[in-house]
C-alpha cells in the first residue's frame, strides 16, 4: 500500500486510484473479499466493504481505514472530494463498463484515466515479491511437490483421467492447500497433445504419457507445476521428445536472471526445442508470473521486452505437442535473482516410467 501511495504521490498530489478487483484489493489490504472498493491517494487508503466483511475487515485489513458500504458510489464521490482528487486512475483491465458508468455518474469534475497506467504500476509492484510472499509460494509449492510424489505411487493403468485429477485435488486440499490454483489438468495418451486439455473418462493405458498440471494456494498465493510421466514403457520417439523438453526446461532455469528481457527468457527454452527440430510444436510462451493470481506480470514470451527484476517469480514451462500423437510439458517456478534464479520446484525431471 505504501508503495502504491508513493507512486500516486509522484504523479501529483491530486491523483488517486480506485481499485475494484478482488485480487488487487487483496494484494493491498491483505484481506480477501468478493466485493468492495479501495480508494487510495498518497495520504490515505479507504476500503469500503459490505456487512458480510465489515467485522473481519476491521480486524485484519492492513494499511487502510475500513468503512461500511452503504451507497458505494456516493461514498466514493465524497472520499474523492475530500481528497481534492482531480485525476483518478482505474484498473483498465479489470473494471467493468457498469462500474465505470456508475463512477462517471458521480465523478463529474474528475479526469478518470482509463489507460493502462494504474495496471502498469500495480503489475510492477505485484511482480516483485517480498520474502513473506515468497514463503507463501514456497509453502504452496511444497504441498504441490508432495502431491506429485504421491501421484507417482497412485497412478495405475485402468484409472481414468478424471480419477487422477480428483486425487490430485483431494491430496492438495487435504494437505493444507486453501484452494486449487486452477482447474487441474490430468490428461493421457493422445490428449497430452492438448496443452490445456480437460480430464475425461479416458482410461490410462500402457505406453501413454500422462501430463499433470496443478497447483494450490497458501496465504492467497499460488503454486503451479507440470510433470509428464510415462506408463509402462516409452517409445524412442517419446524419449526423444521428453529429453528435448527436459533440456529446454533446464536451460531455462540455468540461464534466467535479472536483466534478461521476457523475450530473452523465452528464447532460453525455445532455442533448444527449435535446434532439435520441434520448434513448430512449442505452441505457447515459456512462462508467466505467479502470485495472488495464477497468471500475472511478467511473462517469458515474445511480447515482453521488459527486463526481469530480482524477486519476480515466473514459471518455466516449455512443451512439445504433436497433434494426434502426444505432448510433453515440464514446469517449475523460479525466483529471479541478480545472478540467476532459485528453482522453487523440487520434483525430479528425469523421465519417470510408472
Ligand atoms: Mn503455468
Amino acid at each position: 500500500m505504501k508503495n502504491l501511495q508513493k507512486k500516486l504521490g509522484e504523479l501529483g498530489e491530486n491523483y488517486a486510484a480506485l481499485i475494484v478487483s478482488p485480487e488487487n484489493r487483496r494484494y493491498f489490504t491483505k484481506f480477501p473479499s468478493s466485493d468492495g472498493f479501495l480508494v487510495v491517494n498518497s495520504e490515505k487508503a479507504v476500503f469500503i466493504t459490505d456487512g458480510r466483511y465489515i467485522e473481519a475487515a476491521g480486524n485484519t485489513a492492513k494499511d487502510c481505514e475500513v468503512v461500511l458500504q452503504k451507497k458505494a458510489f456516493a461514498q466514493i464521490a465524497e472520499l474523492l472530494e475530500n481528497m481534492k482528487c482531480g485525476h483518478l486512475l482505474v484498473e483498465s483491465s479489470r473494471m467493468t463498463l457498469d462500474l465505470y458508468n456508475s463512477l462517471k455518474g458521480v465523478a463529474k469534475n474528475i479526469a478518470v484515466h482509463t489507460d493502462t497506467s494504474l495496471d502498469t504500476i500495480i503489475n510492477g509492484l505485484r511482480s516483485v515479491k517480498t520474502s513473506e510472499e515468497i514463503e507463501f509460494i514456497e509453502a504452496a509449492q511444497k504441498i504441490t511437490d508432495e502431491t506429485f510424489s504421491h501421484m507417482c505411487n497412485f497412478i495405475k493403468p485402468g484409472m481414468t483421467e478424471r480419477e487422477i485429477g480428483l486425487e490430485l485435488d483431494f491430496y492438495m486440499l487435504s494437505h493444507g492447500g486453501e484452494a486449487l490454483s486452477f482447474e487441474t489438468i490430468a490428461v493421457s495418451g493422445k490428449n497430452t497433445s492438448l496443452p490445456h486439455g480437460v480430464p475425461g473418462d479416458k482410461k490410462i493405458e500402457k505406453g501413454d504419457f500422462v501430463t499433470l498440471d496443478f497447483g494450490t494456494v497458501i496465504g492467497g498465493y499460488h503454486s503451479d507445476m507440470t510433470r509428464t510421466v510415462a506408463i509402462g514403457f516409452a517409445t524412442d520417439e517419446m524419449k526423444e521428445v521428453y529429453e528435448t523438453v527436459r533440456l529446454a526446461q533446464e536451460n531455462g532455469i540455468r540461464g534466467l536472471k535479472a536483466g534478461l528481457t521476457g523475450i530473452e527468457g523465452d528464447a532460453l527454452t525455445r532455442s533448444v526445442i527449435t535446434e532439435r527440430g520441434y520448434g513448430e510444436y512449442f505452441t505457447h510462451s515459456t512462462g508467466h508470473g505467479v502470485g495472488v493470481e495464477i497468471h500475472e506480470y511478467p511473462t517469458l514470451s515474445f511480447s515482453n521486452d521488459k527486463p526481469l527484476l530480482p524477486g519476480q517469480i515466473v514459471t518455466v514451462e516449455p512443451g512439445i505437442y504433436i497433434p494426434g500423437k502426444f505432448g510433453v510439458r515440464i514446469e517449475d517456478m523460479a525466483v529471479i535473482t541478480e545472478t540467476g534464479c532459485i528453482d522453487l520446484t523440487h520434483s525430479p525431471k528425469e523421465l519417470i516410467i510408472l
Side-chain angles (χ1 to χ4, degrees):
M1 190 77 86
K2 302 254 165 10
N3 290 333
L4 174 62
Q5 291 181 303
K6 189 160 165 265
K7 294 270 183 197
L8 291 169
E10 285 163 11
L11 293 173
E13 61 179 21
N14 61 349
Y15 275 74
L18 173 64
I19 291 170
V20 299
S21 66
E23 53 276 14
N24 285 335
R25 279 199 314 271
R26 177 174 192 153
Y27 176 72
F28 288 112
T29 65
K30 310 264 188 283
F31 181 78
S33 58
S34 62
D35 272 305
F37 301 88
L38 183 59
V39 183
V40 187
N41 75 353
S42 61
E43 307 272 286
K44 206 170 150 105
V46 180
F47 177 33
I48 303 171
T49 188
D50 64 56
R52 293 169 298 169
Y53 296 110
I54 189 74
E55 184 181 353
N59 291 335
T60 59
K62 297 275 186 283
D63 300 322
C64 59
E65 278 172 46
V66 177
V67 168
L68 178 63
Q69 180 175 326
K70 291 170 189 153
K71 286 189 170 167
F73 280 92
Q75 291 171 286
I76 291 166
E78 197 186 325
L79 277 169
L80 294 173
E81 201 182 313
N82 292 342
M83 288 176 171
K84 301 195 169 41
C85 170
H87 296 270
L88 182 65
L89 308 187
V90 296
E91 300 161 282
S92 62
S93 66
R94 303 172 193 279
M95 180 176 234
T96 62
L97 289 171
D98 279 351
L99 290 177
Y100 177 73
N101 289 331
S102 300
L103 176 67
K104 287 298 280 181
V106 298
K108 294 267 194 287
N109 300 314
I110 295 175
V112 178
H113 294 253
T114 56
D115 61 14
T116 57
S117 52
L118 182 59
D119 281 11
T120 304
I121 291 170
I122 293 178
N123 289 345
L125 294 175
R126 272 178 42 182
S127 75
V128 176
K129 269 64 181 177
T130 63
S131 55
E132 185 191 30
E133 290 176 297
I134 294 172
E135 279 167 28
F136 282 138
I137 291 178
E138 282 180 314
Q141 183 50 42
K142 183 164 185 284
I143 296 170
T144 310
D145 274 320
E146 286 164 8
T147 302
F148 177 68
S149 106
H150 166 71
M151 294 309 293
C152 288
N153 295 316
F154 178 84
I155 295 174
K156 301 279 180 304
M159 289 176 177
T160 66
E161 295 170 352
R162 259 183 71 73
E163 284 175 273
I164 291 169
L166 285 168
E167 181 69 14
L168 277 160
D169 294 353
F170 184 79
Y171 197 92
M172 288 189 285
L173 296 178
S174 57
H175 287 77
E178 292 164 9
L180 303 175
S181 285
F182 48 87
E183 282 190 40
T184 295
I185 296 170
V187 287
S188 66
K190 285 181 184 172
N191 296 338
T192 55
S193 74
L194 311 169
H196 274 193
V198 178
D201 294 327
K202 182 193 165 299
K203 289 195 163 101
I204 308 305
E205 296 166 66
K206 287 191 175 158
D208 276 354
F209 268 141
V210 173
T211 294
L212 310 174
D213 184 350
F214 57 106
T216 190
V217 179
I218 291 289
Y221 287 80
H222 295 72
S223 64
D224 190 4
M225 79 176 275
T226 306
R227 286 294 183 271
T228 300
V229 298
I231 308 301
F233 65 91
T235 63
D236 288 347
E237 187 187 20
M238 287 165 75
K239 287 179 186 163
E240 155 80 12
V241 168
Y242 188 92
E243 197 58 10
T244 302
V245 174
R246 186 178 70 82
L247 291 171
Q249 206 278 341
E250 288 177 351
N251 200 54
I253 294 288
R254 245 194 326 273
L256 267 190
K257 61 176 180 188
L260 292 188
T261 64
I263 299 170
E264 290 166 334
D266 179 71
L268 290 171
T269 68
R270 197 169 303 279
S271 59
V272 174
I273 290 176
T274 303
E275 271 163 34
R276 292 173 65 117
Y278 293 100
E280 66 177 299
Y281 301 116
F282 180 12
T283 46
H284 54 72
S285 54
T286 292
H288 54 87
V290 185
V292 290
E293 281 180 291
I294 183 64
H295 294 128
E296 58 180 52
Y297 180 82
T299 59
L300 302 180
S301 74
F302 68 88
S303 64
N304 181 15
D305 59 5
K306 303 279 184 305
L308 297 168
L309 301 173
Q312 290 180 331
I313 295 188
V314 291
T315 66
V316 180
E317 50 176 311
I320 294 176
Y321 312 93
I322 306 176
K325 259 189 182 172
F326 58 76
V328 173
R329 179 168 64 258
I330 301 174
E331 173 181 28
D332 288 357
M333 284 191 303
V335 189
I336 306 291
T337 68
E338 289 288 356
T339 53
C341 72
I342 301 163
D343 197 338
L344 300 180
T345 309
H346 302 301
S347 296
K349 293 180 210 174
E350 314 75 72
L351 178 58
I352 295 173
I353 301 180
L354 301 177

